[in-house]
Amino acid sequence: MLTPKDTPTRETRVLDGTWRFAVDWDNDLDPATLTSEGLPGGLEIAVPASVNDLFADEEVRNHVGYWWYQRRVRVPRGWGEDQVLVHFGSATHAATVWVDGHEAGSFKGGYMPFEFDITDHVTAGEEFLLTVRVDNRLDNTCIPPGTVTELPDGRRQQNYLHDFYNYTGLHRSVTLVARPQRHVCDVTVTTSYEGTTGTVNWEIEQAVDGDVKVHVVDKQTGKTVAEGEGATGSAEIADVTLWTPGVGGLYDLVIELVDGDEVVDSYAQHFGVRTVEVRDNEFLINGKPFYFTGFGMHEDHETLGKGHSNAHMIQDTELLSWIGANSLRTSHYPYAEEFMDFCDRHGIVVIDETPAVGLNWGMAGGILDSGGGETFEKGHVDDDTQAQHRLEIERLIARDKNRPSVVIWSIANEPDSSGRGAREYFEPLAQLARDCDPTRPVGFVNVTFATPDEDKITDLFDVIMINRYNGWYFQTGDLVSAEQTMSEELAGWEKYGKPIIYTEFGADTVAGLHSVYNQPFTEDFQVAYLEMCARVFDSSKWVVGEQMWNFADFQTKYGYARVDGNKKGAFTRDRRPKAAARYLRGRWTAKDEAAYGRRDWRIRERG
């Protein structure tokens, strides 16, 4: 599936804005009535945005089940000969779509794009009624999994094992798309280079086979630097500009489907020429050792929830630049395509993660024993869960396979990798990821309880990514013992002979709280904790990265372990820096200067 964009042969109409909205309180409203006659009541909702924080009504926020969206859409009058689609950036966690009462289709998976061909149900120049029913319920056939409990008084509660709030709704843009009947369906781009010559290879899927022309365009200069023909082919780029961390460097593969001299369809897919390799204790980008600095992040902002906002994206990436970070992990789900495009353009290195979080019945929200049996058993994480997990891996790689910013596929966060049945569950998934994309390393993120002696699956993967909270959840406040424990465990991971990235480490911190002692929850303790972790990281040649948890404070479900969310951010939820941010800025910019001879990881042009 290609990202919607305007080209010489394609047009788009973004349908963001305010839509009609209704809550299906008993999850029994009649689709036939609603999709033809309209929604009841007078509520409106913003798209994109999460439902949960928009209404001054706790029952709306906590509703478990269906929410209905609706708006009228006019098809541009010039689209009469085109195929017309409606494209959704995401619908969390499942959606069914109707056009003038006709069911266009359904999709399950809360963070991936989907689209439906509605050509037969719309007319150029006329309006149609677009209706979307979003379902926020999670069960064990979902990724992430969950359960719904009905209380004695009839209320429904959504339960889940991940430690971030279950924001739901239409979180990303909705777009009306016109494309030719004969069109490009998909393209896969791979690259390599030798000396100053780059090579780009392509495989193009068409709706109807025919002649194909390809032009490689330097996005910086706008000049064509190579050409080719055929749905499968390759071309060489002289004096190639490599995609480089902190810099970027993109080309467009301009695809033209032709009929004689006529261009039937045109689509430009951006790409970067770069290589990624794991060699012994090193992670190499373009043959040079790369050390990850940055964060696990969340799509989480006040009011918007998980809704994508370009303004917030710019703010967050500017703060990444300020603090000296060169990378991030899309914890714990794929981010909006607009965010990923930005990373491609600006050289931000990405560990791209599926929504497979909460696959661990030994803990809830990362901190508590959930109880209730084994992880890998019927009704918990079972064959139905694995089937959806396979889809999530396939969809993530299909969407992001051409992105130079993506250097690792992370297929799960903190699963029960020491549990009985873990290897049988994960071995085929690791192979699936490699089959889908043999050009990038594959990994998963290890949980504290799955020590080197207990973990059953690390040997299946190319890199070791571990989350550790010694000094916080364990040995709380005792940084001397925490440092000793982390160092001893690190020696166990080194024996695998693979690069190690600490993908999470952190301590909850209340902004503005200080003490002359290293007292947990103070800003002073957070800095001391980070200093301790840094000593561990710097002690080993096998450690190739550190991504603090978290970039910013974020919302979680309520509970005695969380007061208005998770407070481990280097920044507050409204993006104010804690003392830890300035500590990290000093550490990471110094590392960047030592590695690249510059203080600012993202090179800027200043007039």
Side-chain angles (χ1 to χ4, degrees):
M1 184 189 308
L2 298 176
T3 304
K5 62 176 65 176
D6 291 320
T7 79
T9 60
R10 299 175 177 226
E11 289 187 70
T12 62
R13 294 290 185 272
V14 177
L15 305 181
D16 297 353
T18 53
W19 292 43
R20 293 285 307 283
F21 178 73
V23 182
D24 197 340
W25 294 112
D26 296 315
N27 300 322
D28 61 357
L29 292 177
D30 178 26
T33 301
L34 270 60
T35 61
S36 58
E37 298 179 9
L39 301 185
L43 288 179
E44 296 186 25
I45 193 167
V47 174
S50 295
V51 171
N52 311 82
D53 290 351
L54 296 181
F55 298 95
D57 186 330
E58 190 170 0
E59 290 186 355
V60 175
R61 177 181 175 84
N62 295 333
H63 174 66
V64 177
Y66 294 138
W67 283 311
W68 291 82
Y69 292 71
Q70 193 172 74
R71 64 162 290 172
R72 299 203 67 82
V73 179
R74 184 176 297 278
V75 182
R77 62 183 182 179
W79 289 13
E81 300 299 320
D82 292 318
Q83 188 179 69
V84 180
L85 303 97
V86 60
H87 179 101
F88 295 81
S90 71
T92 310
H93 293 277
T96 303
V97 178
W98 288 265
V99 173
D100 278 343
H102 301 280
E103 185 175 329
S106 296
F107 184 83
K108 180 179 178 179
Y111 301 96
M112 281 283 100
F114 59 96
E115 61 189 19
F116 301 118
D117 184 348
I118 60 173
T119 310
D120 293 341
H121 305 302
V122 300
T123 302
E126 296 184 8
E127 284 190 335
F128 67 89
L129 185 64
L130 176 61
T131 308
V132 185
R133 185 181 67 188
V134 175
D135 190 347
N136 69 355
R137 287 171 290 187
L138 295 170
D139 59 26
N140 81 306
T141 70
C142 298
I143 294 290
T147 58
V148 176
T149 302
E150 186 166 328
L151 301 178
D153 60 6
R155 288 179 296 132
R156 293 176 297 277
Q157 286 186 343
Q158 176 73 75
N159 305 300
Y160 48 93
L161 303 182
H162 55 272
D163 186 34
F164 56 94
Y165 190 79
N166 187 39
Y167 281 115
T168 50
L170 295 181
H171 284 147
R172 298 165 189 169
S173 289
V174 182
T175 310
L176 198 66
V177 180
R179 68 185 181 193
Q181 297 292 336
R182 180 188 165 204
H183 55 267
V184 180
C185 300
D186 195 17
V187 56
T188 301
V189 180
T190 57
T191 65
S192 61
Y193 70 92
E194 184 171 349
T196 61
T197 301
T199 300
V200 54
N201 309 288
W202 62 83
E203 294 184 12
I204 298 165
E205 297 179 23
Q206 308 175 64
V208 178
D209 290 341
D211 293 336
V212 180
K213 291 184 177 180
V214 169
H215 309 274
V216 179
V217 177
D218 187 323
K219 288 183 74 70
Q220 181 69 24
T221 65
K223 295 180 179 180
T224 298
V225 296
E227 295 183 323
E229 294 184 354
T232 302
S234 65
E236 292 187 344
I237 305 171
D239 298 319
V240 66
T241 298
L242 299 182
W243 188 91
T244 305
V247 180
L250 295 179
Y251 293 89
D252 271 338
L253 189 78
V254 180
I255 305 164
E256 294 180 341
L257 307 188
V258 296
D259 184 2
D261 293 333
E262 180 187 1
V263 176
V264 179
D265 189 24
S266 176
Y267 190 86
Q269 173 62 57
H270 74 257
F271 69 94
V273 179
R274 62 105 181 91
T275 59
V276 175
E277 180 185 1
V278 170
R279 185 191 304 161
D280 298 325
N281 66 312
E282 294 181 319
F283 193 96
L284 305 174
I285 298 179
N286 297 335
K288 298 179 180 179
F290 181 76
Y291 189 91
F292 294 77
T293 59
F295 300 95
M297 297 180 67
H298 269 301
E299 291 181 313
D300 179 279
H301 293 88
E302 293 180 352
T303 307
L304 285 171
K306 289 195 178 304
H308 176 75
S309 156
N310 286 331
H312 288 91
M313 174 186 72
I314 296 295
Q315 182 186 41
D316 284 356
T317 52
E318 281 294 307
L319 290 174
L320 287 176
S321 175
W322 174 84
I323 207 170
N326 61 24
S327 67
L328 61 95
R329 175 168 63 116
T330 66
S331 48
H332 302 295
Y333 39 81
Y335 286 3
E337 290 186 84
E338 294 89 341
F339 192 100
M340 301 299 290
D341 288 344
F342 190 96
C343 293
D344 287 339
R345 291 195 301 270
H346 294 277
I348 303 173
V349 173
V350 177
I351 300 173
D352 209 1
E353 191 161 88
T354 74
V357 60
L359 307 182
N360 197 325
W361 253 249
M363 52 190 264
I367 51 177
L368 302 170
D369 186 348
S370 65
E374 299 287 335
T375 296
F376 301 100
E377 65 178 39
K378 185 65 177 176
H380 287 178
V381 178
D382 58 18
D383 290 345
D384 291 333
T385 319
Q386 189 188 55
Q388 186 66 26
H389 199 163
R390 291 182 65 90
L391 286 176
E392 298 294 347
I393 292 171
E394 291 169 345
R395 290 167 178 169
L396 175 66
I397 295 176
R399 192 195 74 167
D400 291 344
K401 61 190 173 184
N402 298 323
R403 297 190 179 282
S405 63
V406 175
V407 300
I408 299 174
W409 302 116
S410 174
I411 67 170
N413 176 74
E414 294 190 343
D416 185 7
S417 61
S418 61
R420 185 177 58 190
R423 192 171 185 91
E424 291 79 4
Y425 182 89
F426 276 101
E427 188 166 14
L429 298 180
Q431 186 59 50
L432 172 66
R434 289 198 180 88
D435 292 343
C436 290
D437 176 24
T439 72
R440 292 177 177 86
V442 177
F444 81 103
V445 175
N446 170 282
V447 70
T448 294
F449 312 111
T451 63
D453 296 331
E454 297 291 332
D455 179 89
K456 293 180 170 61
I457 66 174
T458 289
D459 63 294
L460 300 172
F461 296 90
D462 303 305
V463 293
I464 297 174
M465 297 186 286
I466 56 179
N467 297 349
R468 291 299 180 266
Y469 290 96
N470 301 91
W472 185 248
Y473 292 128
F474 315 97
Q475 301 158 309
T476 307
D478 183 357
L479 297 182
V480 174
S481 296
E483 184 171 353
Q484 181 179 349
T485 300
M486 287 183 69
S487 297
E488 291 172 354
E489 187 195 19
L490 179 56
W493 290 116
E494 290 174 347
K495 295 176 183 178
Y496 277 91
K498 299 179 180 184
I500 300 167
I501 306 169
Y502 279 84
T503 40
E504 289 186 28
F505 54 98
D508 283 86
T509 303
V510 178
L513 184 63
H514 292 276
S515 173
V516 295
Y517 313 109
N518 281 337
Q519 182 177 331
F521 290 101
T522 64
E523 294 194 39
D524 315 275
F525 178 81
Q526 188 179 34
V527 171
Y529 170 91
L530 294 177
E531 290 173 335
M532 179 275 290
C533 291
R535 290 193 294 271
V536 175
F537 306 155
D538 292 345
S539 71
S540 173
K541 69 177 184 179
W542 293 96
V543 175
V544 299
E546 56 191 75
Q547 292 184 331
M548 177 195 166
W549 190 257
N550 191 284
F551 170 72
D553 297 345
F554 59 91
Q555 191 57 260
T556 64
K557 58 185 175 182
Y558 300 129
Y560 65 84
R562 295 282 180 251
V563 180
D564 194 30
N566 190 305
K567 295 291 193 295
K568 294 186 182 68
F571 299 91
T572 61
R573 198 175 185 216
D574 61 354
R575 277 40 179 183
R576 297 176 184 269
K578 302 176 187 176
R582 295 194 181 277
Y583 164 75
L584 292 173
R585 185 171 191 252
R587 173 174 169 79
W588 290 346
T589 53
K591 278 185 171 291
D592 187 71
E593 183 177 28
Y596 301 107
R598 62 178 187 262
R599 293 288 294 178
D600 190 357
W601 70 269
R602 193 174 73 202
I603 294 175
R604 301 172 184 267
E605 294 183 4
R606 301 186 187 275

